[in-house]
Amino acid sequence: MLRIAVQSKGRLYDETMLLLEEAGIKLNRGKRILLLSAKGFPVEVLF
């Protein structure tokens, strides 16, 4: 399992989310969730 830490807002957040989306990694971002698992890929994103 790969864990990636990302800022919760700002330019780096936007660019990272775009990169993950282009790589086919889908995340369901909810409010106030600090750790998300990707669907169909062994990645967790920590905000």
Side-chain angles (χ1 to χ4, degrees):
M1 178 71 66
L2 175 65
R3 186 173 287 170
I4 301 171
V6 178
Q7 283 185 260
S8 62
K9 58 183 175 179
R11 190 184 93 234
L12 291 177
Y13 169 82
D14 296 334
E15 291 175 3
T16 303
M17 291 296 108
L18 181 60
L19 176 71
L20 292 173
E21 183 179 321
E22 289 174 352
I25 300 171
K26 299 186 188 294
L27 299 169
N28 290 329
R29 178 91 163 111
K31 293 189 178 211
R32 296 198 164 286
I33 296 176
L34 298 178
L35 183 64
L36 295 175
S37 295
K39 291 188 174 186
F41 202 80
V43 172
E44 292 179 330
V45 178
L46 175 67
F47 295 97

